[in-house]
Amino acid sequence: MGINTVAVIGLGYIGLPTAAILASKDVTVVGVDVNLSTVEAINRGDVPFVEPDLAMYVAGAVQQGTLRATATPEPADAFIVAVPTPFRGDHEPDLSYVESAAKTLAPQLRGGELLILESTSPPGATRKMAEWVLEARPDLSLDGADGHPQIHVAHCPERVLPGRVMIELVTNDRIVGGLTPEAAQMAKDLYAIFCQGEILLTDAVTAEMAKLVENSFRDVNIAFANEISLIADRVGVDVWELIRLANHHPRVNVLQPGPGVGGHCIAVDPWFLVDAAPEQARLIRTAREVNDSKPRWVVDKAVAAVEGIEAPTIAALGLTFKADIDDLRESPARRIVAELADRLPRAQVLAVDPHVQQLPAELARRENVDLGDLDQALGADVVMVLVDHSDFRTALTEDATGRISVIDTRGVLA
């Protein structure tokens, strides 16, 4: 069957851009989200978060009538599930959002539909989603057995960078893994509507693993840089100069250290591999532990820097997980500010971020944390550079910071 209508379940940082770009190609798209304010914003042609060019795509598609949003699924030729897949407890994958999406869309199926799990997932999650659908709809099947109408299920993980999503959705290669070869080909045909990169076909579990391996590779390399920063600090060496010199070797490319690792992918996905094979994923686990421990090291540095000051003011520059976006997911800066405020109850912690208009809830409820501006920050006893926003790189010079203590976790002053 041809695909004329697509339902996108989950209108977050991946679901909404995917819905908008499909709608821009004259596909009729219904976006589904449990957050009513998100639904209402999209139906007005607005976007609930900042991503370059996304607002233009959404406004145009809504105006053309190819995109609308609702709180409950409707019948469609294809369903793309793009819901959160966090972890819980001792870093076990939490597939409850996927399960909820599967059971919610199941009543809308009539047979022949394509179901795609786009959420980054542990091995076996795509098949599990199919099982949840078939539990709710035993009259359907994956193979047409016993004359039951067939559904087609595939996994296609997103591979985009926040801040470049609308570009990379089009230009990046995609990996598509099906529970059957037919499902994989159907999913490839759907993504080919807008994807100019190569679309690579495989099975569903390999596709799931590929995304986890990509992000774990990054995490391990960041952990190496973060560990080097700890060693350099211990022996009194400028880590930025050290890495710059080491990278002059033709076969060395050390990444830049930071205050930890954030975002919805790199800080989460490696744990899915650890959970899948805990005895084998030793290096991956250690890298996660190194990166997860870096925020505590930054807090310790700040506490030491204000020792002897009865009621210090400490400025934290940046709250988002990376530069020049408003995405706060898994941000190590949030953890640093919260822990510092708790460790130093008599201190005033000024959080400064040009992309954040209000403090996240866990910071707003701490009485000694306030949202400040850069001028206020430069009058603090200690300044922590936690995110390398462009505004900070422009404003932070040796002249501006020469009289204050600076903990530069991003190499802005290097």
Side-chain angles (χ1 to χ4, degrees):
M1 74 186 240
I3 295 177
N4 299 308
T5 59
V6 176
V8 178
I9 314 297
L11 297 175
Y13 288 87
I14 298 302
L16 181 55
T18 301
I21 206 158
L22 274 169
S24 75
K25 299 297 183 181
D26 294 325
V27 177
T28 299
V29 180
V30 177
V32 183
D33 201 281
V34 295
N35 189 325
L36 292 180
S37 63
T38 295
V39 170
E40 293 167 358
I42 292 166
N43 285 333
R44 293 193 306 267
D46 298 330
V47 295
F49 53 86
V50 176
E51 176 62 44
D53 299 328
L54 176 59
M56 176 184 67
Y57 275 90
V58 169
V62 170
Q63 186 174 18
Q64 292 172 7
T66 54
L67 173 64
R68 61 184 175 86
T70 179
T72 55
E74 300 176 4
D77 301 320
F79 293 81
I80 297 176
V81 176
V83 296
T85 47
F87 57 73
R88 60 189 171 194
D90 189 25
H91 301 108
E92 304 99 347
D94 179 1
L95 295 180
S96 59
Y97 296 95
V98 177
E99 180 180 8
S100 177
K103 292 179 176 179
T104 301
L105 67 85
Q108 308 302 324
L109 303 177
R110 55 192 182 277
E113 292 90 351
L114 171 65
L115 278 60
I116 298 173
L117 178 61
E118 244 195 43
S119 309
T120 303
S121 303
T126 304
R127 181 165 293 279
K128 191 64 180 174
M129 183 182 77
E131 291 172 357
W132 282 320
V133 170
L134 295 179
E135 284 175 9
R137 291 293 304 275
D139 57 314
L140 301 174
S141 72
L142 292 175
D143 56 8
D146 299 325
H148 290 225
Q150 186 176 3
I151 57 172
H152 308 278
V153 183
H155 181 61
C156 183
E158 55 84 11
R159 308 169 88 194
V160 293
L161 184 69
R164 289 179 49 86
V165 171
M166 302 312 293
I167 296 171
E168 295 195 358
L169 274 176
V170 175
T171 60
N172 285 2
D173 294 345
R174 296 297 291 250
I175 298 172
V176 174
L179 293 184
T180 63
E182 184 181 4
Q185 185 60 52
M186 290 176 66
K188 177 180 179 178
D189 293 343
L190 175 59
Y191 284 99
I193 293 172
F194 63 85
C195 180
Q196 297 173 4
E198 186 176 1
I199 302 176
L200 307 161
L201 297 186
T202 185
D203 61 87
V205 176
T206 303
E208 291 161 344
M209 284 278 289
K211 174 64 184 291
L212 304 181
V213 168
E214 292 165 8
N215 286 331
S216 296
F217 174 84
R218 290 276 296 163
D219 197 44
V220 168
N221 282 275
I222 294 169
F224 177 79
N226 278 334
E227 192 163 278
I228 291 298
S229 75
L230 304 181
I231 298 169
D233 181 73
R234 174 63 62 89
V235 302
V237 167
D238 181 341
V239 68
W240 313 105
E241 174 75 356
L242 173 64
I243 291 175
R244 184 182 70 83
L245 293 172
N247 282 347
H248 275 271
H249 189 289
R251 289 174 295 280
V252 172
N253 183 26
V254 181
L255 301 181
Q256 299 298 296
V261 172
H264 67 295
C265 286
I266 299 179
V268 175
D269 299 351
W271 287 119
F272 294 168
L273 288 179
V274 175
D275 182 78
E279 295 301 318
Q280 290 74 32
R282 294 177 294 169
L283 179 62
I284 295 169
R285 179 194 294 274
T286 299
R288 275 283 75 233
E289 291 170 348
V290 168
N291 288 332
D292 277 351
S293 70
K294 193 69 185 292
R296 173 64 59 85
W297 180 84
V298 177
V299 171
D300 289 343
K301 297 287 284 185
V303 170
V306 298
E307 186 176 359
I309 303 175
E310 183 177 352
T313 300
I314 304 171
L317 301 190
L319 286 175
T320 61
F321 85 84
K322 68 186 293 278
D324 299 330
I325 62 172
D326 68 344
D327 195 338
L328 294 165
R329 289 175 294 173
E330 304 297 328
S331 168
R334 294 172 63 172
R335 180 177 156 193
I336 289 167
V337 171
E339 186 170 333
L340 187 60
D342 292 344
R343 287 267 299 271
L344 298 173
R346 293 180 62 83
Q348 180 190 24
V349 183
L350 287 175
V352 180
D353 196 305
H355 302 278
V356 175
Q357 305 306 313
Q358 62 182 30
L359 289 172
E362 82 278 6
L363 300 183
R365 65 172 173 260
R366 287 173 163 85
E367 294 183 357
N368 58 337
V369 178
D370 295 297
L371 201 59
D373 59 37
L374 198 53
D375 288 339
Q376 291 173 293
L378 294 178
D381 296 298
V382 173
V383 173
M384 302 183 298
V385 183
L386 304 179
V387 185
D388 51 337
H389 290 312
S390 298
D391 289 2
F392 299 159
R393 288 193 172 276
T394 301
L396 295 180
T397 63
E398 288 190 12
D399 290 340
T401 60
R403 297 181 304 279
I404 56 178
S405 177
V406 179
I407 300 169
D408 185 4
T409 71
R410 293 291 186 178
V412 169
L413 296 174

